[in-house]
Amino acid sequence: MALAELYTQYNRVWIPDSEEVWQSAEITKDYKAGDRFLHVQLEDGTELHYPVDPSALPPLRNPDILVGENDLTALSYLHEPAVLHNLKVRFVESRLIYTYSGIILVAINPYKQLPIYGDAIIHAYSGQNMGDMDPHIFAVAEEAYKQMARNGKNQSIIVSGESGAGKTVSARYTMRYFATVSKSSSNAHVEDKVLASNPITEAVGNAKTTRNDNSSRFGKYTEISFDQRYRIIGANMRTYLLEKSRVVFQSENERNYHIFYQLCASAMQPEFKHLKLGSAEEFNYTRMGGSTTIEGVDDRANMIETQKTFALLGLKEDFQMDVFKTLAAILHLGNLEITAVGDERSSINLEDNHLNIFCELLELNSDKMAQWLCHRKIITTSETVIKPMTKPQALNARDALAKKIYSHLFDFIVERINQALQFSGKQHTFIGVLDIYGFETFDVNSFEQFCINYANEKLQQQFNLHVFKLEQEEYMKEDIPWTLIDFYDNQPVIDLIEAKMGILELLDEECLLPHGTDENWLQKLYNNFVNKNTLFEKPRMSNTSFIIQHFADKVEYKCEGFLEKNRDTVYEVLMEILKESKFRLCANFFQDNPVSVSPFSSTISIKSARPVLKSPNKQLRMTVGSKFRSSLSLLMETLNATTPHYVRCIKPNDEKQPFEFDSKRVAQQLRACGVLETIRISAQSYPSRWTYIEFFSRYSILMTQQELSVNDKKQICKIVLQRLIQDPNQYQFGRTKIFFRAGQVAYLEKLRSDKLRHACVVIQKSVRGWLQRRRFLCLRRAALTIQQYFRGQRTVRQAITARALKETWAAIIIQKYCRGYLVRKLCQLIHVAAVTIQAHTRGFLARKKYRKMLEEHKAVILQKYARAWLARRRFQNVRRFVLNIQLSYRVQRLQKKIEEQSKENHGLLERLTNLASTHMNDLDTIQKLESELEKLAAQKRTYEEKGKKYKEDSEQKILKLESQNKELREQKETLEVKLQEKTEEMKEKMDDLTKQLFDDVRKEESQRMILEKNFQNQRQDYEKEIESLKGEIKVLREEKTQLQQQIQQEMSIQDDLKMEVGQLTKQVQKIPELQKEIELLQTQKLDVEKQAQSQKREMREKMSEVTKQLLESYDFEDVRSRLSTEDLEHLNEDGELWFAYEGLKKATRVLESHFQTQKENYEKEIEGLNLKVEHLSQDINHLQKLFREENDINDGIRLEVSRLTSENLVIPDLKQQVSELENQKLDLENRLQEQTAKLKEISNRLHHEPEGDRTLRRTNEVQNEADMKEKERLNVIPQEMEGLSNGLKQDEVQAEVKSKMKQETTRLTVENMDLEEELDMKDRIIKKLEDQIKTLTKTTEKDGEVHVSALPKEYIGMMEYKREDEERIVQNLILDLKPRGVVVNMIPGLPAHILFMCVRYADYLNDADMLKSFINVTIDGIKQVVKENSEDFEMLSFWLSNTYYFLNCLKQYSGEEVGVISSDNFIALPLADSNKENGQR
């Protein structure tokens, strides 16, 4: 496919821009071959006709799917704007600073601390392949380490970039990665020493510049050595081209090396006072730039850190103090005052304080130093001449001396670091980390920039060759034909600099001449290279500069200072003075063969890029340029022997703002660092590479069903590509990948988006059609429903008459009474059957329960005492092992904590992977949003088309309105005749017409403004007609509302009467239930009498038989011999057995008399109940008569109301019917007054009868209490105890008798309580009837204006609450209540009684769920209070007593016996936890 065919509508291109370098634009018109202009629209909406050359069209923009790629070489279009845009999106929007560009890692300085360098991140990247995770500096380090371990070959990581781009930090992180993943086997902590070398070299070699606060002013290559197990065993460091001029000169807003400011910040410390230093503002060499501090940097703390790293490397305090003395001497040397004596001489005062301190620190002769700083010695063949120097010459000599001393000190520190990192074993492999300056170009470029750019030329050549080699290997691995790729070769520039008679050789030659100058050397360059070498140029407007065309850009160098910096000489006399120094370190710096200060110098050989200087008077001394060239060639040999990995650091802006992207600066650095060259090499062949699986999953939408039927996916991909791309040269099939030329992936993306767009249109068409059909069917159904309803109403009104309604009501009443009689008869039969079944089942269950209790009673007593004894023994045994169990539990808790910490570490790793996945999901969402934008654009077009159709429809509607106006005029004449007959039909039509008119007017406001003048007169006439019709409609509506109000009043009265009748019918239904209960009471009375007589006989017979058997079979001496003293003590514990024996003995003597008295009481109670039942039956019969009369009245009212509703439908006769209803209402009011008088009498009688029932209940309760007191009195009567043997016999007999008697008494009490509960139920039913009668009387009083006095309120001992209030009751009554409250002190059992009142209310409602939930909430609240206050005795005792009160109340209410043991069982659960905790303590 031709590239020009891709320039179609909606595609996007890049256009050059002066500010943003490149600007995106969208093509608005298809480009055709031969067109001179390209029609585009910028992102801000401006249209542009961009002039184009058919042979050089503007670069195309990549599809959105490729924006933000991890690897720049994966882009379909590989060019500068695509690279720049991808980096900007990742850096600014995604906040990602790392991006791959083939084998290069592009690292953009964020100027902000990011949490992506922790140990967890290191372990996450450890062992991973380079493309498996997001780009990172750790991924490059892991790749180098993995290749070293896998191939056994040396590796190197080359970190380059401008000053401030983050080279030092990147190199530091790579070294930290190696130190973390490859711990050394020895105890020397070599990896810590390797990391400790960084702070020292940064202190003596880094400084603040205008571009960076921690700029490295030297190049550094660190070799990290590994053993056969690939563990760090040592390291070695080489340095390149230290910027010595910074020691004596700094530009504005720059600083000297950090170590000087750290030393000045620590000047007041006791160990530094002998250096006689002050603040940094006091010294010329530190205040020259005007900026002595860095924001956010503490020089004093950094000095402490530097001292610690010195100590970590094994450099003792003596060595540190020698270094600090030398640095202090340099500062004092810079403060020497040189005064001018005339024009040709200068001098130094011998009493100068700084001179004396300088000489004192370095142990020099101050007189000689003062003399030879202002004089120079010239030695000829015949004589020696001493020549004075001017002040500028003397200042230059002083500065040269300071630079020389610092340069030697820097080399010496690096030498000692290498000695500390030296290893004794054999090096197996190494990884080198090169932290070197990138390509630099400034307004004024000197000798330092020339050497830096020369080094970058060498590195770029090595990089180009390596990239070309890797590209070739990739094609060979995939079996793709290899074609020669043309790439930029910078060998001519390197030859210009380093070849024979090149720039460096001419510079060295000029330096050898005694009168050599910069101008003479520049003239030689002009003569040799101008017009002879295309890479060398002479500036038009300058004779002191020259231009070299480097691979990155043209650079203009100023020749001033080249010779002096290349010579780097100090006068021989000054060097002789320093050689004579008594300070060993200083003297050793300037020896011809320096003696190492280290005791290990005889056994260790150090690699250094800076050889030892020879005497300056020798002709064969090496210049700075020659030394740099030799060290650079050594570095190239090392890098070529290793596998390189590249990190290119980019500076995003010059203002050091976090995440700000300056496109101009970034584009300039990308050109300089070789990233674009890598992309250009990739773009010349097949830049886009997809695996077969990726291609199939992405572009399966473009495949046909026939193609998908093939099983082999690789074959499917080949068939599809041959069909979609006709030119086979645009792609190649490899073993595992498909290789595409530039633009082909974008073409496939265009085909895919077109296919998806077409599918979306089809889906939208179908969905919109379905929605419209569904809406139409809904409207149609609604219209049919409305028509059906109105037609039905009309037919009903025409068919139904008043007579028919009366007949139907009469039939309904007859049916009602007939059906009621049949249902009542059937209900009575069912009720009698149910009662008999219940009686038999309850008797069977009671007998079964009695037998079970009799069998289990003895066993329970024995088990209770035996289990108590065993529990005490177990508790003593368990108590011994509590401490051991607690210790084991604590050990388990510690183990769990360790496991949880390990789980948290795994969770952090999973979180990292999740973050990576979320990043990919975000990219997918961005793509989806862009597709949605395209959909919205398509929808916009469809809406515009609909707008045009809507205008045409509105014009047709206006014409329809005109025709409707004519029809309305004709209908007006007919409506005047048929207005009274068809008022409702007119109303419906007018409502529909008005709605249509108002809707049309609102929709067509914009179009009606144009037609308003033409139809103004017609509309006025039409509005008058509408107003007249509206007036008539209002009159009809008012009449209708009046009728509706009257009907509503009558209907409300009818509803009230219906409610009252319904309540009365419910009460009538309960009357047969009361009759059945009376019959049950009578049958139960007979059963009780029979059972009492039979049980009395059986008890006497059983007692006699049991006593005989026990006396015959029981051997007391055998029992006495079996029981030990301990068993007797356990059985007689707390005297329970003794008291039980006494009680049983007394109880047997009194049981017969008590039973007779109880029988008489029961007979009296039964007689009273019979009287009460007869009285209630008479009342019920009377109530039935009243209810029947009330039903007759209500039926008459219903007939009247139905007649009224039927007559209300006829509008002309309505007024007459209303007057008749008023007369009937007066009659009804008179009847209701009579009924109210009768109801008052009934209510008074019912009010007196419950009071009589209550008095009977109270007498029964008093009588029961008297019986209980009599029992206690009889039990207390003392009796003499007979012999032990007789006592044991009688004990067993009496226990059995007592258990049977107790069961009989409990059964009788239960039956008594059942009778009382039935009486309560009847009382409640009577109260409900009274309440209903009250409501009837109130309604009659309202109608007849008769006021009746309210009955007095009765208090029944219950607290009403709702189910939602349970939590509030527990919170206020249990959780928040304190024992020392005023109310609690007044009534100690107040909470228990209130809880009991709530229980009674729930039981009164007969709501089992409500009662169960309240009991559960109460128990949970008491448990919570006891657990929270387990050590508060007052709170525990308070709630113990209240739970006991509460349990007793429940026992009394249920009829069970109140005892202590059951209450203990009740509070066992709340107190379990507190007792357990106290036992552990």
Side-chain angles (χ1 to χ4, degrees), residues 460-494:
Q460 183 65 26
Q461 184 184 35
Q462 189 268 347
F463 169 73
N464 288 342
L465 293 173
H466 183 69
V467 170
F468 182 77
K469 182 180 178 182
L470 289 178
E471 193 77 11
Q472 185 177 4
E473 289 176 354
E474 177 75 14
Y475 287 112
M476 292 175 67
K477 185 174 71 174
E478 293 289 334
D479 289 340
I480 291 178
W482 172 256
T483 56
L484 185 61
I485 298 174
D486 182 22
F487 67 95
Y488 176 76
D489 188 6
N490 59 348
Q491 185 62 41
V493 181
I494 296 173

Side-chain angles (χ1 to χ4, degrees), residues 1060 1064 1182-1183 1186-1187 1189-1190 1232-1246 1329-1330 1332-1340 1348:
E1060 293 171 0
L1064 291 171
H1182 187 66
L1183 284 171
L1186 291 174
F1187 291 149
E1189 293 175 359
E1190 195 71 22
L1232 288 171
Q1233 288 177 1
E1234 295 174 0
Q1235 292 294 330
T1236 51
K1238 294 178 182 179
L1239 289 171
K1240 285 181 183 178
E1241 294 175 359
I1242 294 167
S1243 63
N1244 292 326
R1245 290 174 62 188
L1246 291 172
L1329 290 172
E1330 288 177 354
Q1332 291 173 0
I1333 291 165
K1334 288 177 185 178
T1335 55
L1336 287 171
T1337 53
K1338 287 180 181 178
T1339 54
T1340 53
V1348 180

